[in-house]
């Protein structure tokens, strides 16, 4: 690498070759393009005003905390505008999650002195939520606030790059300039904050915007010997960063280093700038200390120990050195898991978390997945070689380390925490791109600049794709636009799978008789990196085995059932249906299947042993990772699981949406479960024909202890049976014979039995069904009288003799 000649003023200028200006229009164009990208992504993958968190999730319950805090401020008090329930206040220890069961409470609010507060900083409420309510009289949507703060942070990053380039690299090639701008705008993890807007993201995005603009003001403080506006603004902004997210206020250490370096290079004493910044920042921090003292009696208490979360925050070990190596791996080196299907990139499950580590939600290694981050190496070289840029780049590195340090010791990892320091990492990387462009030999400069631009583009695309299904967001909102995008992007991969005979759905295994695990537990089926969902066998004493279905990650669970290994059988059959074996809704290419049908497929764990249902549990669905389904003994062993003591004779992955030939059917037997929350719903039992020319037999839950059956001959009035008393808590057996299902040509009545008793027998009109037009427990023809699927039904027989 040949060094370019330096000059005292614009030390790395090459105005003769590339022109005299780091053009402002390019900055404006990138700013507009970045904001347009934000808007396009949100419009494409998220419905207006809807977060990717379901309404009954904890993050959604707390999504209005800042709006409530703004109301409280405007009403003249420091608490939020919500009153704790008497049941909560009557508890001896309301901070214990076990004690709070059954008592209404506001998730993630801080309870102290009989009032609700918010442990996140008050700055967002003062800067945006309260003014919005004063002007409009309405609450500002949390998603809109996150978008506004994230956009402000993005503009601040672009402003720093523009200033840095103009000051030190005005002759940088246009390609290098574009690469630097794309690095900070596309790879800074601001998009995940917008994609999943919650109360946490409000505080982080506001703090990030304040800290980034504070760094910009620190950079501009070189000429501040006569005017102290820039240092004063820097101090004020860092004070607001502390008042939003205290960890982001630590970036002020980097700002001090930048002001010191810039003032020294200008031949001026740096202490004036630093003192002015400290003075204005201290005013905000002092007011924050008063605010904390007025709430909790301690200026250093932000209220986390009083937070009503899923754990007892006051007893948790939030910071520890034993988390350091795990967090370094998760935030810097953990790879994303690749899939052939949209969105192509998903986070991998974290394994072997240290003791006391509370949760790994969603994060990915910056160095492993965002290759443009490696350009920070060239920034480090500039510092080591004492380039004129060393002061700014060194300050940015100090800011990065200061913000990152407490998060590496924290007892949880999440992409929102990663978004606190990633913008600073990308600022350093942008500086490295400029440094490489300025110092590399002339004949290699163009190639290096294009390589930087391509790596920045790859990194931005990785952030975009990883943000689509972040926190399994697509399973919560399923925006129609996202389905359409996935439908077309998945066509090549689906065609490839179809050509190879790949089918989605339950896994069926045949096991050699007499086998038993050699270890305490052996895994038979695993999905995802590290076995995010798995099915295992373990001895349960004597001739019994325990089948264990478990999941690791942010929504863990474990369910099990004990079965007998009958000595008379040479082989055993195991059928497993669980969430990660099924595709996302966008993958289905044969038909646009209703959302409720996919929800039913992905929210139940079912296990059959030798044809008998031994396990059936409702769980929340997991992300689907087609490339990581492991069934064969070789795949299981390669994944690091205990070996199976016997022999897997065969395995087959079924089709989740089968059609049935009419020639093979007699009477149908279903085993179903109903629940009190099903009241008012109608579920399909038997459906035949086509849209506009079909027949639907359905079950209607009319009351908490009553059901009735209905028959819809398309275009004719619905026929209903009498009401039948049932116990909705118990399983039931339904047997039915539909005229359109039977192969016989002679007319026959519709017959329905419930738990062995004939409850309905009547003659009905019907449209004849062709092969492939018969569906059990699925309304695949779009009838309006019942829901798309009966999610609690299991087919036991399809060949019952005539009644």
């Amino acid at each position: 690498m040949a060094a370019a000649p330096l000059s005292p003023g614009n030390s790395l200028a090459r105005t003769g070759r590339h022109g005299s200006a780091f053009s402002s229009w390019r900055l404006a164009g990138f700013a507009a393009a970045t904001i347009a990208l934000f808007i396009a992504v949100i419009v494409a993958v998220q419905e207006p005003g809807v977060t990717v968190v379901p309404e009954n999730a904890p993050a959604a319950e707390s999504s209005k905390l800042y709006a409530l805090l703004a109301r409280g401020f405007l009403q003249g008090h420091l608490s939020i505008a919500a009153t704790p329930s008497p049941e909560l206040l009557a508890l001896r220890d309301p901070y214990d999650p076990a004690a709070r069961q059954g008592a209404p409470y506001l998730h993630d609010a801080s309870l102290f002195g009989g009032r609700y507060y918010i442990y996140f900083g008050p700055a967002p409420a003062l800067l945006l939520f309260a003014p919005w309510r004063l002007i409009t009289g309405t609450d500002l949507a949390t998603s809109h606030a996150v978008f506004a703060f994230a956009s402000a942070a993005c503009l601040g990053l672009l402003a720093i790059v523009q200033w840095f380039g103009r000051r030190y690299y005005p002759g940088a090639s246009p390609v290098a300039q574009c690469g630097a701008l794309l690095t900070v705008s596309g790879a800074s993890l601001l998009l995940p904050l917008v994609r999943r807007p919650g109360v946490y993201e409000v505080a982080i995005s506001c703090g990030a915007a304040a800290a980034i603009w504070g760094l910009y003001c620190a950079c501009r403080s070189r000429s501040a010997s006569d005017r102290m506006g820039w240092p004063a603004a820097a101090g004020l902004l860092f004070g607001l960063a502390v008042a939003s997210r205290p960890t982001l206020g630590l970036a002020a250490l980097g700002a001090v280093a930048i002001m010191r370096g810039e003032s020294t290079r200008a031949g001026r004493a740096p202490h004036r700038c630093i003192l002015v910044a400290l003075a204005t920042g201290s005013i905000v921090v002092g007011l924050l200390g008063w605010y904390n003292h007025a709430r909790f009696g301690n200026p250093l208490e932000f209220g986390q120990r009083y937070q009503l979360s899923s754990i007892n925050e006051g007893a948790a070990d939030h910071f520890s050195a034993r988390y350091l190596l795990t967090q370094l791996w998760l935030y810097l080196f953990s790879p994303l898991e690749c899939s052939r299907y949209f969105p192509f990139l998903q986070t991998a499950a974290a394994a072997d978390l240290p003791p006391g580590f509370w949760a790994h939600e969603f994060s990915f290694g910056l160095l492993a997945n965002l290759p443009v981050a490696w350009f920070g190496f060239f920034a480090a070289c500039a510092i080591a070689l004492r380039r004129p840029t060393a002061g700014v780049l060194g300050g940015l590195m100090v800011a990065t380390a200061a913000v990152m340090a407490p998060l590496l010791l924290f007892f949880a990892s999440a992409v929102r925490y990663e978004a606190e320091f990633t913008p600073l990492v990308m600022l350093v990387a942008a500086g490295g791109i400029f440094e490489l462009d300025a110092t590399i030999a002339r004949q290699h400069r163009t190639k290096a600049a294009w390589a930087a631009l391509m790596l920045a583009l790859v990194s931005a695309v990785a952030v975009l794709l990883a943000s689509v299904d972040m926190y399994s967001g697509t399973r919560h909102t399923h925006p129609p636009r996202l389905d359409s995008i996935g439908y077309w992007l998945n066509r090549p991969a689906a065609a490839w799978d179809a050509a190879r005979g790949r089918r989605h759905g339950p896994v069926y295994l045949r096991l050699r008789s007499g086998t038993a695990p050699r270890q305490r537990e052996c895994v038979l089926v695993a999905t995802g990196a590290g076995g995010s969902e798995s099915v295992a066998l373990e001895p349960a004493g004597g001739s019994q085995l325990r089948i264990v279905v478990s999941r690791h990650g942010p929504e863990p669970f474990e369910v099990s059932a004990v079965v007998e290994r009958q000595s008379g059988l040479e082989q055993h059959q195991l059928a497993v249906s669980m969430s990660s074996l099924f595709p996302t809704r966008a993958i289905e290419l044969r038909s646009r299947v209703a959302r409720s049908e996919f929800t039913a497929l992905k929210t139940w764990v079912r296990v059959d042993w030798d044809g008998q249902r031994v396990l059936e549990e409702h769980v929340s669905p997991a992300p689907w990772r087609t490339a990581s389904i492991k069934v064969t003994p070789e795949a299981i062993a390669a994944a690091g699981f205990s070996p199976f003591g016997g022999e897997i004779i065969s395995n087959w992955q079924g089709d989740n949406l089968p059609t049935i030939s009419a020639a093979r059917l007699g009477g149908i037997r279903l085993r179903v479960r109903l629940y009190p929350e099903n009241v008012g719903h109608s579920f399909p039992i038997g459906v035949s024909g086509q849209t506009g020319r079909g027949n639907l037999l359905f079950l209607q839950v009319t009351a908490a202890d009553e059901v009735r059956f209905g028959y819809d001959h398309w275009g004719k009035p619905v026929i209903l049976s009498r009401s039948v008393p049932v116990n909705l808590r118990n399983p039931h057996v339904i047997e039915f014979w539909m005229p359109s299902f039977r192969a016989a040509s002679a007319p026959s009545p519709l017959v329905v039995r419930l738990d062995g008793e004939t409850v309905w027998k009547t003659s009905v009109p019907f449209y004849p069904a062709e092969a492939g037009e018969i569906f059990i427990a699925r309304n695949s023809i779009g009838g309006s009288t019942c829901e798309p699927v009966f999610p609690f039904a299991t087919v036991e027989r399809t060949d019952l003799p005539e009644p």
Side-chain angles (χ1 to χ4, degrees):
M1 184 181 294
L6 306 179
S7 60
N10 290 332
S11 57
L12 303 178
R14 281 201 182 95
T15 58
R17 188 173 190 273
H18 296 298
S20 61
F22 187 99
S23 53
S24 298
W25 65 263
R26 191 171 289 119
L27 171 68
F30 262 83
T34 301
I35 301 303
L37 175 64
F38 270 155
I39 297 173
V41 170
I42 299 306
V43 169
V45 302
Q46 189 166 319
E47 293 177 349
V50 180
T51 71
V52 299
V53 184
E55 285 303 317
N56 59 350
E61 295 172 6
S62 63
S63 63
K64 295 184 178 180
L65 283 182
Y66 269 113
L68 294 174
L69 181 61
R71 289 193 209 175
F73 286 161
L74 295 176
Q75 292 170 5
H77 52 78
L78 301 180
S79 59
I80 68 176
T83 303
S85 65
E87 297 90 338
L88 181 66
L89 296 177
L91 295 176
R92 181 177 180 182
D93 184 8
Y95 308 108
D96 181 6
R100 288 200 304 270
Q101 292 185 4
Y105 71 97
L106 191 57
H107 187 84
D108 271 344
S110 295
L111 179 68
F112 185 82
R115 293 185 177 184
Y116 277 136
Y117 298 94
I118 182 172
Y119 98 88
F120 307 98
L126 295 171
L127 293 175
L128 195 56
F129 284 85
W132 179 274
R133 185 164 184 83
L134 278 174
I135 295 171
T136 67
T138 61
D139 291 331
L140 177 65
T142 299
S143 57
H144 296 163
V146 175
F147 178 82
F149 287 132
S151 299
C154 184
L155 290 174
L157 292 171
L158 294 171
I160 292 176
V161 171
Q162 186 261 1
W163 171 86
F164 190 65
R166 278 185 135 182
R167 177 158 187 78
Y168 291 104
Y169 306 95
S173 68
V175 177
Q177 296 175 32
C178 292
L181 291 169
L182 182 59
T183 295
V184 297
S185 60
S188 293
L189 294 192
L190 295 174
L191 181 60
L193 297 178
V194 181
R195 174 77 176 115
R196 193 246 193 191
V199 64
Y200 327 101
E201 286 76 14
V202 171
I204 292 170
S205 60
C206 180
I212 289 167
W213 280 104
L215 288 171
Y216 175 78
C217 293
C219 292
R220 297 297 302 271
S221 64
R222 176 181 179 181
S223 59
S225 59
D226 299 322
R227 293 178 299 173
M228 290 289 109
W230 290 114
L236 176 64
L237 287 165
F238 280 112
L240 292 174
V242 174
S244 301
R245 184 79 169 172
T247 53
L248 283 166
L250 296 174
L253 297 176
V256 170
I258 291 174
M259 286 189 288
R260 182 178 181 278
E262 287 295 287
S263 297
T264 301
R265 287 194 69 247
R268 300 183 178 94
H271 64 273
R272 289 189 62 192
C273 296
I274 296 174
L275 288 176
V276 169
L278 289 175
T280 55
S282 298
I283 294 174
V284 179
V285 174
L287 290 174
L288 180 63
W290 170 84
Y291 172 72
N292 288 338
H293 185 273
R295 296 187 301 165
F296 305 116
N298 184 345
L300 301 180
E301 177 60 62
F302 285 84
Q304 187 174 23
R305 72 171 64 184
Y306 306 119
Q307 185 187 7
L308 303 180
S309 69
S310 55
I311 62 172
N312 191 333
E313 295 286 352
D317 188 8
H318 290 95
F319 296 93
S320 173
R322 66 176 179 271
Y323 308 143
L324 177 61
L325 294 180
T326 298
Q327 294 285 39
L328 282 172
W329 166 258
L330 293 174
Y331 287 141
L332 296 181
F333 302 107
S334 60
L336 284 165
E337 188 173 310
C338 297
S339 167
R340 296 188 302 277
Y341 287 97
F342 179 77
F344 309 115
L345 293 176
Q346 294 171 309
T347 182
D352 300 325
L353 297 175
F357 198 90
W358 176 52
H360 166 63
E361 295 182 7
F362 176 95
S363 65
F364 52 86
L366 298 182
L367 299 179
N369 303 284
L370 307 183
V372 75
W374 286 97
F375 280 90
F377 169 77
F378 299 105
C381 291
I383 297 172
L385 296 174
R386 297 183 180 275
R387 301 283 193 190
T389 56
V392 176
L393 293 176
L396 292 176
M397 283 191 169
V398 169
T400 303
V403 173
M404 194 174 182
L407 298 176
L408 293 179
L409 304 178
F410 194 55
F411 77 146
S413 62
V415 72
R416 59 180 178 270
Y417 306 145
E418 195 171 14
E420 295 187 44
F421 59 83
T422 301
L424 303 175
V425 172
M426 294 306 158
L427 278 174
V428 174
I433 292 175
F434 284 134
E435 185 66 25
L436 178 64
D437 181 71
T439 58
I440 198 169
R442 182 180 297 272
Q443 62 268 30
H444 302 304
R445 194 182 310 142
T446 300
K447 295 179 182 179
W450 276 105
L453 178 60
M454 290 299 102
L455 291 177
L457 180 61
V458 168
S459 301
V461 171
V463 171
L464 173 62
L465 294 178
S467 301
V468 171
D469 200 37
M470 184 182 64
Y471 291 97
S472 305
T474 54
R475 81 171 188 240
H476 296 316
T477 56
H478 294 296
R481 297 183 189 90
L482 186 61
D483 284 338
S484 299
I485 293 171
Y487 181 87
W488 291 105
L489 292 179
N490 289 329
R491 292 185 72 89
W496 173 255
D497 278 350
R500 297 174 58 199
R502 174 66 187 274
R503 316 183 84 180
H504 306 300
V507 168
Y508 301 90
L509 300 177
R510 293 174 64 200
L511 310 177
R512 180 71 65 186
S513 174
T515 58
R518 292 176 183 169
Q519 310 291 332
R520 168 170 162 71
E521 178 183 272
C522 68
V523 175
L524 297 177
V525 181
T527 64
S532 58
E533 280 193 318
S534 61
V535 181
L537 287 181
E538 62 181 28
S543 62
Q544 293 183 326
L545 291 174
R546 179 176 288 107
I547 302 173
V548 182
V549 183
S550 59
R551 180 193 299 165
H552 308 287
E555 298 178 10
F557 73 84
E558 180 174 293
V559 293
S560 64
V562 176
V563 299
E564 290 284 344
R565 292 185 291 119
Q566 302 178 33
S567 58
L569 295 178
E570 294 184 358
Q571 300 176 4
H572 294 281
Q573 295 183 352
L574 180 68
V576 178
S577 175
M578 58 185 183
S579 174
S580 54
L581 297 174
F582 294 97
T584 59
R585 187 168 162 251
I587 292 173
E588 181 57 44
L589 299 178
R590 291 166 298 173
S591 61
R592 299 298 181 93
V593 181
R595 298 176 189 177
S596 58
E597 184 161 358
F598 269 89
T599 300
L601 290 170
K602 293 176 72 66
T603 56
W604 284 87
V605 169
R606 295 184 174 95
V607 177
D608 293 348
W609 176 262
D610 291 336
Q612 298 294 320
R613 179 63 46 84
V614 296
L615 188 61
E616 187 171 33
E617 294 286 341
H618 185 273
V619 299
S620 85
W624 184 72
R625 298 176 170 91
T626 181
S628 301
I629 296 175
K630 307 173 184 69
V631 178
T632 63
E634 295 77 15
I636 294 297
F641 297 110
S642 301
F644 178 49
E647 179 184 358
I648 298 178
I649 300 173
S650 66
N651 71 86
W652 180 69
Q653 193 169 359
D655 191 337
N656 59 307
L657 298 173
T659 55
I660 301 173
S661 171
R664 295 187 289 108
L665 291 185
I668 312 297
R669 177 183 294 161
L670 297 178
R671 183 171 296 275
V672 304
R673 286 179 177 268
L674 296 171
Y675 300 91
E677 53 265 30
N678 298 144
V679 173
H681 292 261
S682 297
F683 300 106
I685 296 175
V687 177
S688 64
Q690 308 171 13
T691 302
R693 183 182 166 84
N695 318 282
L696 300 95
L697 174 64
F698 57 89
L699 171 70
Q700 189 178 78
V701 185
T702 57
D705 57 355
E706 189 177 84
V707 300
R708 64 183 176 184
F709 296 90
Y711 182 81
D712 181 4
H713 178 60
W714 202 292
K716 302 294 182 181
V718 173
I719 305 173
L720 296 173
S721 75
R722 64 178 176 86
S723 296
V724 182
V726 295
N727 186 335
L728 296 187
R729 293 292 184 181
N730 295 333
H732 299 277
V733 174
I734 297 176
E735 298 173 335
F736 66 95
W737 290 258
M738 285 181 65
S740 59
F741 274 32
R742 304 184 199 183
S745 59
S748 54
L750 168 69
V751 179
V752 180
R753 290 178 180 170
L754 179 61
D755 296 330
E757 178 184 352
T758 300
V759 296
W760 199 21
K761 183 175 182 179
T762 184
S763 296
V764 293
F766 66 93
Y767 295 105
E770 302 292 335
E773 293 182 349
I774 289 181
F775 312 93
I776 300 176
R778 286 176 48 218
N779 175 10
S780 294
I781 65 175
S784 61
T785 48
C786 57
E787 299 190 10
V789 69
F790 196 163
F792 322 110
T794 303
V795 181
E796 292 193 340
R797 290 188 63 180
T798 61
D799 58 351
L800 294 177
E802 291 293 321

